[in-house]
Amino acid sequence: MTRLFHRFLQAIPTLFGITLVAFALVHIMPGSPIDALVPPDASADVRAQVIHIYGLDKPLPVQYVLWLTHAVRGDFGMSIGMRVPVNQLLAQAIQNTLILGVAAAFFSFVTGTVLGVLAGLNQGKWIDRMVSTLGLAGVSIPAYWLAMVMVILFSIQLGWLPSSGMHSQGQEGNVLDLLAHVVIPAIALGFTPVGVISRMVRTSLLQVVKQDFVLALRAKGLMRRQILWHLLRNAALPVLTVTGLELGYLLGGSILVETIFAWPGLGGLLNSAIGLRDIPVIQAGILLIGTLFVLMNIVVDFVNSAVDPRIQRT
Amino acid sequence: MEISIHKTNHKEKDFKRDVMDEIQENTQTRRSFIQKLYSDPVAWGATFWIVLMIGTAVFAPFLTPYSPVSGNIGNRLMPIGTPGHFLGTDEQGRDMITRILFGGRMTLLMGIVPVAAACLVGGALGVIAGYFGKAVQSIIMRCLDVFYAFPALVLAIAISAALGPGVRNTFVSLPIVFIAPIARVTATAVQQIKGLEFFEAARVSGASHWMIIRFHLIRNIFRPVFAYVSTLIGISILVASSLSFLGLGVTPPTAEWGAMLRSLQDALYTQPTVAIAPGVMIFLTALAFNLLSDSIQDALDVRS
Amino acid sequence: MKKWMRKSLSCSVAATVLSLLVVGCGNSASTPESKQGSGGTLIIGATFSNLPNMDVYPDQGYEGRRFVGNQLYDPLIIDNPNTNSFDPGLASSWESKDMKVWTFHLRSGVKFQDGTAWNASSAVFNLDRILNKNFQYYYPQVAALLTARTKEITSYQAIDDMTLEITLKEQDSFFPSDVTQILFASPTAIQKYGNDDYQNHPVGTGPFAVAKVVPRQELDLVPNKDYWRGAPKLDQLILKPMSDPATRYAALLSSQINWAEVPPTETIPQIKQKGFQVVTKPYPHIWAIVPDMSKPPFNDKRVREAFVRAIDRKAMSDQLLNGASIPADGPMYPESNLYPKDAPAFDYNLDLAKQLLTAAGYPNGVTIAVNMPSSGSGNMWPLPMSEFIQQQEAKIGINITFRTYDWNQIITQYRAGFSGPMADANGIAYSLASGTLLGDLETSFVLKEPQGSDIMGYDNPQLDQLVRQAKASTDPAGRDKLLAQGWGIVQSDIALLPVVHDLNLRVLSPKVQGLVTPATWFVDLTTVWVSK
């Protein structure tokens, strides 16, 4: 526990740095934030008034401190583009991104495990090579392109699945409908980590195979299927950890996939906010992604070391 | 492309062994590395594709009679197999093969140059961090941790958005993305070497920092760092084309595969095979780099 | 071709009457079948990248006004650009003897969607909100956006419960066109929610009311059963922001929407073949590059002419856009009675363009920067269009760097002009869809910010004189003649670099019925229904 606490303490300077990056980026952006706030033909006093309301008349360091103190309290202000509290937008967006992320992680976990087991059981044979090439293909394929190809195929040509959005009209609560919408984006997004996961499964499997207890099981004359089950149970934790870690990386890939599918998540929100120079949203979005990413890393690290004490030494 | 940095974590653990190999069997490994690579058919295939791409990119103007930027609007969106336009034409009536040849120039540049640039900066930072002791290291690493806190693509998009679209800005934003992981890998490699006998010996003999870094360090960390950096080129190609696809990278009319996918998006439903062609090129080229990098790692025996 | 799309005489007459979104349609435009039936859910894939703000001056350009502003609210009177006249809205009639004091007789029996009565005091409340700085509910954000429309007003008062009087600084026969742009919100709702939050709970007198808002995803509207012009036929109207043409097309094909604004042009043949309804019609619109005439190279008319002549606008319309536009020689569209028939045309001519450029002192060409929107209201297909222009201009040595921005950003830049954030640009690609043809000449080419939008730095005393005359005119026919002359001057001066006139391409599912194809940017959704 102290170790986890220690890791959190270590992360504090990083989190602080993230806030600096989030704040600095939007101030490097071309175009004054004021132009996004007030129409340029507004009278001088209106302009001054709005500038004051947003605190833009203060020096940058003061603005940063003000923004930070609000952010720490979870107050990110109002979206300029949408005139609703940023919190409300982010809360909704992160929820939708998580739905997509979990679906994608599920896809890559299942596919990666199956492929990894196949490869591990056929070490050195052609299946093994195919799987490793497929894994590399996953990292080499542009997710947005895969998404486009799948839309043409499955939505337009075959008409099996919807082409965009998160739910059909009037089907907001329908889980099946949501599933139909999530299939293509989740596969497009989840294809990338398949390679990493299958490689991980294969490695863990091979490591476990070498261990004595497998030989013992074999000696006991257990069926192949039963042995496999034991193998999987022993290889499961590291694989789950990797999948968890990949969830963080899916967060990054989502920005493109969400844009293509009009999926109302964090990536899409950030992308449109960048287009609109919606500063409060950009800042909060970058901060949120960075923080989630760091926390996810800590948790994965912790789980890793809890599972495998050897990791602590390195 | 999201995987890049994650891979590092695994790599790091292997460095110790790798570096040991390095020092103990220096000459021997070098020969066996090349031999291994030489006897790997996948490496051959990947290298062939990469050389082909580089060759066609360099000689693009001599390979096609058409202009990559201006077309004949009357011939727009011709299907694949049209006489004179084997891969069809794009939405402006430009020959697709020509665009793909010229687009390869941009894509290869954006795969290699940012990684090379990041290698210089990140490598230097890593050497400094690893070599000059704990205090320096923790300052540099804490700063770089901030860049580590974002998925590569998010960071690239955020920086590109801040700098504005254009090729020049892509060449700024992409290296920034890769500096942190390269620095970390380098620092780890340096640390491993620092504990070794020959290194201590060099220090005791009174060699200057610069001499030690120059003659003992860089030579010995080159291969593990190289193995890692080779994994980044494929990623760089993907991230760069994603930026162009979002309109944050290369701007029209310059041909670039990601930008071509963007401008052909409207034709996706009428000429799908033409519209997805640039994506096939991105995929094959990134795959070639990744396969080659994989073979390099196998040959260097970096993999667990 | 669907029956209801035929352009019979009666249809086009009715369409003219109807152009105004708000005026009820005689059924003359509809075929017998389309008279029957009602109900259904209309789901529109609109071009905005985000839901417009819902105060009385929605953002996202005229697309925001078309699908949100005009569905929630009504103005006092409604513009009819095709005849350059006006139709009654929340005012059943209006008059002015001297063109200076205007009296509006308000429509009786109209209620806001929250039950608040429409009368002179609610009208004054709305005017106070944008004009009276001491008013408790004065709202500078909206006031600033309406400056160009309220610039002439010196005072206003309720004469009696149903009569509003507005006094202007000077004679202004264009004033009705300004009035069409001012929409009226329920005072009760503004008082209840306050200025900032009001736009999340908008209440107007319009045909539709807000049922649900899902930010970034959709806006659900329900019909206002008590609408003064008759309840809309639909059960539900849903707006979805979809800024990408391919996304709109895919959504239409997979039945996620049943009405797509501007799909990719290359899909037109495919769309027709699949049995969808393809709707186009000329309306007052110009897709142009607005030049900065205060600095080189566009300060020289020869460069502007070279620029226009270098673009093969016919090839652009016929080939690139598959017939979804008509080539333009000037800002006024040919169907208008204000169209200057005698004004010079600038046919595609590369040799002449090169000569002009050389004569202007650019024998080796010139490099310029142009800002453009990535999508949005009436901007058609900005990416392929700009790339086409880029290629064409390169042939005579004009090298253009196009810089893409979100549509809302472009509006902001445009309003700020070339001295603002786009000081380093030589032009801005901008679409001007006219909602108020009468005042357009003055606002776009005579008045500078903030009264108008002549950001080009364009000045022509002859034009100013003509507009002054027209403005003071009490005779509509004479006035229109003067205005047509004025549009001719603008066209021959090449104050805008004309490219094409849009044809308002939209695609509807075969189930969408009863639409009377409008000859304006705006559209009347009260006649539409969706069959099962």
Side-chain angles (χ1 to χ4, degrees):
Chain A
M1 249 334 90
T2 46
R3 192 182 137 74
L4 186 64
F5 183 68
H6 190 69
R7 282 290 278 125
F8 273 117
L9 278 186
Q10 267 188 332
I12 287 175
T14 311
L15 291 175
F16 181 72
I18 294 171
T19 63
L20 267 176
V21 170
F23 184 80
L25 274 178
V26 294
H27 286 275
I28 308 171
M29 284 192 186
S32 156
I34 301 159
D35 293 323
L37 292 170
V38 259
D41 47 359
S43 60
D45 53 327
V46 170
R47 220 176 148 78
Q49 206 183 329
V50 176
I51 288 173
H52 183 73
I53 291 170
Y54 282 86
L56 293 169
D57 49 349
K58 300 188 176 68
L60 279 182
V62 179
Q63 284 188 41
Y64 171 69
V65 171
L66 274 177
W67 173 73
L68 191 64
T69 47
H70 280 101
V72 168
R73 274 177 275 150
D75 171 16
F76 293 102
M78 297 282 275
S79 152
I80 294 167
M82 283 156 266
R83 308 259 169 98
V84 279
V86 174
N87 284 350
Q88 189 189 328
L89 286 172
L90 284 183
Q92 204 183 31
I94 193 76
Q95 190 189 336
N96 295 339
T97 293
L98 281 180
I99 293 176
L100 178 58
V102 168
F106 179 75
F107 167 78
S108 31
F109 175 70
V110 171
T111 319
T113 307
V114 170
L115 291 177
V117 169
L118 276 177
L121 294 182
N122 296 285
Q123 195 191 357
K125 292 184 195 151
W126 66 270
I127 294 186
D128 191 14
R129 283 217 194 120
M130 282 290 292
V131 169
S132 104
T133 312
L134 197 72
L136 278 179
V139 227
S140 312
I141 209 162
Y144 58 94
W145 177 77
L146 184 62
M148 282 155 49
V149 173
M150 285 200 291
V151 168
I152 295 184
L153 207 61
F154 297 112
S155 304
I156 306 302
Q157 300 291 339
L158 299 170
W160 291 350
L161 295 163
S163 65
S164 69
M166 218 176 120
H167 53 73
S168 310
Q169 218 50 59
Q171 302 284 322
E172 279 79 358
N174 188 336
V175 178
L176 279 180
D177 181 65
L178 179 65
L179 279 179
H181 281 81
V182 88
V183 170
I184 299 182
I187 293 178
L189 191 57
F191 197 62
T192 309
V194 163
V196 178
I197 293 173
S198 66
R199 194 171 278 184
M200 188 77 194
V201 172
R202 178 183 178 276
T203 314
S204 336
L205 204 64
L206 292 179
Q207 274 170 0
V208 180
V209 167
K210 285 179 200 150
Q211 288 168 16
D212 296 340
F213 81 97
V214 178
L215 292 174
L217 287 175
R218 271 206 182 139
K220 273 193 207 163
L222 278 179
M223 297 281 294
R224 200 180 150 85
R225 191 181 295 169
Q226 285 165 300
I227 295 176
L228 183 61
W229 176 242
H230 278 281
L231 287 180
L232 279 180
R233 248 189 24 200
N234 282 283
L237 265 171
V239 175
L240 271 177
T241 319
V242 174
T243 313
L245 191 69
E246 290 308 327
L247 204 61
Y249 294 97
L250 293 177
L251 216 62
S254 69
I255 202 164
L256 279 159
V257 173
E258 284 181 5
T259 303
I260 288 183
F261 288 99
W263 189 270
L266 199 54
L269 177 68
L270 202 56
N271 193 34
S272 76
I274 286 172
L276 285 164
R277 294 284 179 277
D278 196 336
I279 289 161
V281 178
I282 303 176
Q283 285 179 331
I286 291 179
L287 186 60
L288 182 62
I289 290 182
T291 311
L292 276 178
F293 204 61
V294 169
L295 293 183
M296 204 114 61
N297 276 334
I298 293 176
V299 171
V300 167
D301 232 36
F302 179 73
V303 174
N304 248 331
S305 61
V307 170
D308 182 357
R310 278 170 303 175
I311 291 173
Q312 281 188 23
R313 274 185 279 122
T314 53
Chain B
M1 67 200 82
E2 293 81 17
I3 302 197
S4 58
I5 297 162
H6 163 65
K7 269 186 177 172
T8 349
N9 299 338
H10 295 287
K11 295 284 140 52
E12 280 168 32
K13 289 171 222 152
D14 305 318
F15 284 143
K16 189 159 193 171
R17 199 184 65 210
D18 185 70
V19 169
M20 295 293 287
D21 290 349
E22 194 82 23
I23 284 116
Q24 286 161 9
E25 321 163 28
N26 208 341
T27 46
Q28 196 195 337
T29 346
R30 188 163 297 166
R31 235 181 53 226
S32 74
F33 163 62
I34 291 175
Q35 274 172 349
K36 273 186 188 165
L37 213 54
Y38 192 80
S39 60
D40 182 351
V42 177
W44 273 105
T47 311
F48 171 75
W49 180 259
I50 292 167
V51 170
L52 182 72
M53 283 298 106
I54 294 175
T56 52
V58 170
F59 297 107
F62 306 103
L63 296 173
T64 166
Y66 303 106
S67 153
V69 289
S70 74
N72 176 358
I73 197 69
N75 287 340
R76 67 194 296 263
L77 292 174
M78 303 290 248
I80 284 181
T82 305
H85 301 287
F86 185 67
L87 280 184
T89 55
D90 75 354
E91 80 292 345
Q92 302 283 346
R94 297 173 294 212
D95 180 53
M96 279 298 284
I97 290 185
T98 308
R99 296 274 291 167
I100 283 176
L101 288 177
F102 279 88
R105 287 180 161 189
M106 253 2 265
T107 306
L108 287 171
L109 277 182
M110 298 208 294
I112 296 165
V113 175
V115 174
C119 214
L120 287 179
V121 181
L125 283 174
V127 167
I128 295 170
Y131 183 81
F132 290 105
K134 252 204 138 91
V136 180
Q137 181 177 17
S138 64
I139 291 172
I140 293 182
M141 286 302 144
R142 284 288 155 265
C143 290
L144 291 177
D145 269 353
V146 175
F147 292 95
Y148 242 119
F150 301 99
L153 190 60
V154 171
L155 191 58
I157 289 173
I159 298 173
S160 298
L163 297 175
V167 191
R168 239 179 305 165
N169 290 339
T170 309
F171 282 119
V172 176
S173 65
L174 281 181
I176 295 179
V177 172
F178 296 125
I179 285 174
I182 292 180
R184 191 181 268 194
V185 169
T186 312
T188 316
V190 172
Q191 272 184 313
Q192 310 285 359
I193 290 180
K194 261 175 90 177
L196 299 175
E197 272 174 37
F198 83 97
F199 194 81
E200 282 304 314
R203 277 180 116 170
V204 174
S205 74
S208 70
H209 287 316
W210 171 242
M211 292 290 277
I212 296 176
I213 292 177
R214 170 112 169 60
F215 291 105
H216 296 281
L217 219 114
I218 293 187
R219 256 175 60 186
N220 286 307
I221 58 164
F222 180 75
R223 298 238 233 109
V225 173
F226 174 71
Y228 174 66
V229 165
S230 72
T231 64
L232 295 179
I233 295 179
I235 294 160
S236 183
I237 288 177
L238 285 188
V239 175
S241 70
S242 305
L243 289 179
S244 300
F245 179 74
L246 283 174
L248 291 170
V250 169
T251 46
T254 312
E256 193 274 339
W257 295 339
M260 288 169 73
L261 280 177
R262 170 181 166 88
S263 61
L264 279 164
Q265 229 186 333
D266 279 0
L268 209 52
Y269 305 107
T270 40
Q271 284 296 0
T273 43
V274 174
I276 64 174
V280 177
M281 298 305 292
I282 298 175
F283 169 56
L284 288 178
T285 309
L287 182 64
F289 276 108
N290 285 334
L291 284 170
L292 184 61
S293 143
D294 220 40
S295 299
I296 289 174
Q297 289 176 63
D298 275 343
L300 286 172
D301 200 21
V302 187
R303 204 194 301 284
S304 50
Chain C
M1 176 121 343
K2 294 277 171 279
K3 265 187 201 164
W4 55 267
M5 278 177 60
R6 72 184 166 187
K7 288 179 188 166
S8 67
L9 184 64
S10 69
C11 180
S12 56
V13 169
T16 320
V17 172
L18 244 206
S19 36
L20 356 139
L21 330 98
V22 193
V23 164
C25 147
N27 283 327
S28 54
S30 318
T31 54
E33 305 96 276
S34 65
K35 265 187 218 160
Q36 305 148 7
S38 66
T41 301
L42 182 65
I43 311 170
I44 298 179
T47 64
F48 31 66
S49 54
N50 221 319
L51 291 174
N53 127 18
M54 295 187 289
D55 210 318
V56 292
Y57 200 101
D59 56 1
Q60 305 286 355
Y62 269 5
E63 180 95 323
R65 187 175 162 102
R66 164 163 72 183
F67 287 131
V68 173
N70 284 332
Q71 306 311 327
L72 299 178
Y73 306 104
D74 293 307
L76 286 173
I77 59 179
I78 298 146
D79 189 72
N80 185 344
N82 299 82
T83 55
N84 205 9
S85 63
F86 299 92
D87 298 295
L90 285 178
S92 45
S93 66
W94 63 97
E95 77 252 347
S96 174
K97 289 192 184 71
D98 54 0
M99 301 279 152
K100 204 173 164 191
V101 178
W102 293 74
T103 310
F104 296 89
H105 303 284
L106 306 185
R107 190 175 293 277
S108 57
V110 176
K111 280 193 163 51
F112 287 98
Q113 291 148 1
D114 61 359
T116 308
W118 161 249
N119 53 32
S121 70
S122 46
V124 168
F125 182 98
N126 275 275
L127 292 177
D128 275 341
R129 187 169 180 245
I130 53 173
L131 287 166
N132 178 2
K133 287 193 176 140
N134 302 317
F135 185 52
Q136 186 190 353
Y137 294 99
Y138 177 70
Y139 196 36
Q141 276 89 328
V142 170
L145 293 166
L146 279 162
T147 314
R149 302 302 173 185
T150 54
K151 59 187 186 289
E152 300 285 345
I153 300 176
T154 54
S155 70
Y156 45 89
Q157 56 172 320
I159 298 293
D160 61 42
D161 197 32
M162 292 314 274
T163 314
L164 176 72
E165 187 185 87
I166 298 179
T167 309
L168 308 180
K169 283 181 198 138
E170 53 180 16
Q171 287 195 327
D172 183 5
S173 71
F174 304 157
F175 183 61
S177 76
D178 289 339
V179 176
T180 62
Q181 298 290 300
I182 304 170
L183 302 173
F184 292 86
S186 160
T188 323
I190 292 171
Q191 284 162 338
K192 184 169 167 195
Y193 295 106
N195 273 330
D196 281 325
D197 196 29
Y198 165 74
Q199 62 125 359
N200 298 317
H201 313 271
V203 178
T205 57
F208 291 92
V210 173
K212 193 174 88 181
V213 191
V214 189
R216 303 161 60 215
Q217 293 181 62
E218 62 177 63
L219 175 61
D220 293 10
L221 300 165
V222 287
N224 172 6
K225 296 285 178 210
D226 303 320
Y227 189 44
W228 55 271
R229 183 158 79 70
K233 293 183 171 178
L234 288 169
D235 289 336
Q236 202 183 8
L237 168 63
I238 291 164
L239 293 172
K240 288 184 172 258
M242 292 185 171
S243 61
D244 175 41
T247 308
R248 292 192 291 272
Y249 180 64
L252 184 74
L253 287 195
S254 52
S255 305
Q256 287 164 292
I257 56 175
N258 45 27
W259 170 311
E261 288 293 320
V262 279
T265 53
E266 35 277 312
T267 61
I268 294 174
Q270 206 180 54
I271 293 171
K272 285 186 177 158
Q273 191 208 332
K274 286 183 192 277
F276 288 97
Q277 311 170 39
V278 178
V279 185
T280 57
K281 192 153 198 164
Y283 70 104
H285 172 281
I286 176 75
W287 197 103
I289 288 172
V290 181
D292 181 2
M293 289 161 60
S294 63
K295 64 172 183 258
F298 286 136
N299 58 347
D300 191 323
K301 191 193 149 188
R302 287 169 297 189
V303 179
R304 301 200 296 274
E305 184 172 343
F307 188 96
V308 177
R309 286 193 186 274
I311 308 173
D312 187 349
R313 284 147 287 154
K314 186 159 168 26
M316 188 172 192
S317 289
D318 297 350
Q319 318 272 359
L320 185 70
L321 303 181
N322 268 325
S325 70
I326 42 179
D329 283 308
M332 182 47 65
Y333 81 119
E335 277 73 10
S336 169
N337 67 334
L338 301 183
Y339 181 68
K341 293 182 185 62
D342 311 324
F346 304 100
D347 296 334
Y348 174 57
N349 188 333
L350 278 183
D351 294 332
L352 183 52
K354 258 182 217 152
Q355 283 168 26
L356 284 163
L357 201 61
T358 309
Y362 301 98
N364 303 318
V366 58
T367 299
I368 58 169
V370 175
N371 292 7
M372 60 174 261
S374 52
S375 71
S377 184
N379 292 308
M380 307 173 69
W381 301 268
L383 300 177
M385 288 166 75
S386 62
E387 209 172 335
F388 180 73
I389 293 171
Q390 201 173 38
Q391 281 177 52
Q392 299 259 302
E393 296 297 345
K395 287 182 186 163
I396 63 162
I398 299 182
N399 297 306
I400 313 178
T401 312
F402 276 104
R403 297 177 296 200
T404 318
Y405 297 88
D406 188 89
W407 173 224
N408 256 359
Q409 283 267 107
I410 285 288
I411 298 174
T412 312
Q413 292 181 2
Y414 179 76
R415 294 178 72 109
F418 291 103
S419 54
M422 53 169 189
D424 56 342
N426 303 91
I428 178 168
Y430 204 78
S431 82
L432 297 123
S434 180
T436 58
L437 215 44
L438 186 57
D440 265 7
L441 188 61
E442 188 191 28
T443 29
S444 304
F445 300 99
V446 177
L447 298 175
K448 313 262 182 291
E449 279 284 343
Q451 273 85 28
S453 56
D454 173 9
I455 62 164
M456 295 81 74
Y458 173 60
D459 261 316
N460 185 327
Q462 199 195 341
L463 176 70
D464 297 356
Q465 172 64 27
L466 269 174
V467 168
R468 252 198 308 281
Q469 260 180 299
K471 203 170 176 178
S473 163
T474 48
D475 156 39
R479 176 198 67 194
D480 287 0
K481 229 174 172 175
L482 290 168
L483 286 176
Q485 241 177 302
W487 283 103
I489 292 174
V490 170
Q491 176 162 336
S492 57
D493 284 346
I494 321 180
L496 288 183
L497 310 175
V499 183
V500 290
H501 301 293
D502 182 27
L503 290 179
N504 221 352
L505 175 69
R506 58 172 61 107
V507 188
L508 320 181
S509 137
K511 290 178 182 159
V512 176
Q513 319 242 358
L515 171 72
V516 183
T517 313
T520 117
W521 169 254
F522 302 110
V523 59
D524 178 8
L525 296 174
T526 61
T527 61
V528 177
W529 83 90
V530 180
S531 60
K532 294 285 173 300

